[in-house]
Amino acid sequence: DVKVTQSSRYLVKRTGEKVFLECVQDMDHENMFWYRQDPGLGLRLIYFSYDVKMKEKGDIPEGYSVSREKKERFSLILESASTNQTSMYLCASSLYGVSNEAFFGQGTRLTVV
Amino acid sequence: QQQVKQSPQSLIVQKGGISIINCAYENTAFDYFPWYQQFPGKGPALLIAIRPDVSEKKEGRFTISFNKSAKQFSLHIMDSQPGDSATYFCAASINNQGGKLIFGQGTELSVKP
């Protein structure tokens, strides 16, 4: 069964902290994505990666960075957390060039106080 | 800019009724249009998808209608059931960009018994 696992369901962090959100997939997918979900705005793409050590900016990359050292793992980094980064973060993965279906993790609800 | 616009934001339907959610897109390069379903506490999951070479796709009670000239597509849920209560997202992507999806704002569907 396809599985995308995010390391935390809920996180509470303080303003200015460096925050790491981890995502692991067990499907040998090339593509991995980070989205944030906010009411009324849908899902917005933060960063994505088509290969190990490769990354590309999505629509809202400001304040975030990513790391992909291994194929199965894609990390989202908030360099200095701010209250406007309080949101639901969703990781997804997909095969490259075969199907566009994206498989999502269960999400991490991040609150920055 | 919002490349995919979805309406309505919320929808209440009686059991057995038809639920209709609409989306409009701007980029004519989009060539894959999926719908995702999200239950509370879960990540989105692919429900049904269509490519622009067909005008309709049906899977069970779920149908996508696609109007290429109007740049619009819609999801119809026939015989809506309380178990269909969820948030629905339309999305669009370009095939050679793998799973990089542009999402609509989401529709919260509630089916009343």
Side-chain angles (χ1 to χ4, degrees):
Chain A
D1 199 15
V2 166
K3 198 160 188 181
V4 178
T5 303
Q6 295 182 229
S7 55
S8 303
R9 291 296 300 272
Y10 301 95
L11 274 178
V12 179
K13 296 293 182 180
R14 295 194 179 276
T15 300
E17 276 193 79
K18 190 169 186 176
V19 181
F20 293 85
L21 302 183
E22 306 287 345
C23 175
V24 177
Q25 51 98 359
D26 65 359
M27 298 163 284
D28 201 34
H29 284 170
E30 291 87 358
N31 302 335
M32 295 191 75
F33 307 85
W34 277 105
Y35 290 88
R36 67 176 277 178
Q37 180 177 2
D38 299 289
L41 296 177
L43 280 71
R44 293 178 291 166
L45 182 63
I46 304 171
Y47 267 97
F48 60 102
S49 169
Y50 288 149
D51 201 353
V52 175
K53 297 192 184 295
M54 175 273 178
K55 61 185 178 182
E56 294 224 11
K57 293 180 180 179
D59 298 319
I60 52 165
E62 296 78 18
Y64 304 94
S65 63
V66 291
S67 173
R68 192 167 182 198
E69 296 295 321
K70 294 184 178 182
K71 187 176 185 179
E72 68 270 18
R73 187 179 297 270
F74 194 34
S75 302
L76 180 69
I77 304 157
L78 286 66
E79 297 291 344
S80 176
S82 64
T83 55
N84 63 12
Q85 293 178 310
T86 291
S87 186
M88 171 68 82
Y89 290 87
L90 289 162
C91 175
S93 73
S94 68
L95 284 169
Y96 182 83
V98 177
S99 166
N100 294 88
E101 180 175 0
F103 296 88
F104 283 84
Q106 79 278 21
T108 296
R109 171 74 65 185
L110 173 66
T111 301
V112 182
V113 298
Chain B
Q1 76 282 17
Q2 188 72 39
Q3 293 192 59
V4 179
K5 295 183 179 180
Q6 182 174 345
S7 62
Q9 189 168 350
S10 63
L11 181 61
I12 299 174
V13 174
Q14 291 297 122
K15 179 182 175 181
I18 302 173
S19 303
I20 302 174
I21 304 171
N22 300 299
C23 284
Y25 63 97
E26 298 173 1
N27 187 347
T28 55
F30 288 143
D31 58 5
Y32 176 73
F33 302 90
W35 286 87
Y36 279 76
Q37 180 188 54
Q38 184 182 31
F39 293 105
K42 303 287 187 182
L46 180 66
L47 181 64
I48 185 172
I50 196 168
R51 297 197 184 274
D53 51 343
V54 296
S55 60
E56 186 176 280
K57 183 174 181 179
K58 184 176 181 179
E59 291 185 1
R61 297 184 294 109
F62 300 91
T63 300
I64 299 178
S65 297
F66 185 81
N67 185 329
K68 189 173 182 178
S69 61
K71 293 188 287 185
Q72 295 176 347
F73 58 111
S74 60
L75 176 69
H76 296 235
I77 306 175
M78 310 301 288
D79 186 26
S80 299
Q81 299 297 312
D84 297 330
S85 297
T87 300
Y88 292 81
F89 294 96
C90 63
S93 73
I94 300 170
N95 189 42
N96 64 5
Q97 293 184 4
K100 181 186 171 185
L101 292 161
I102 308 300
F103 284 88
Q105 296 93 324
T107 296
E108 190 171 347
L109 172 66
S110 178
V111 181
K112 299 299 186 185

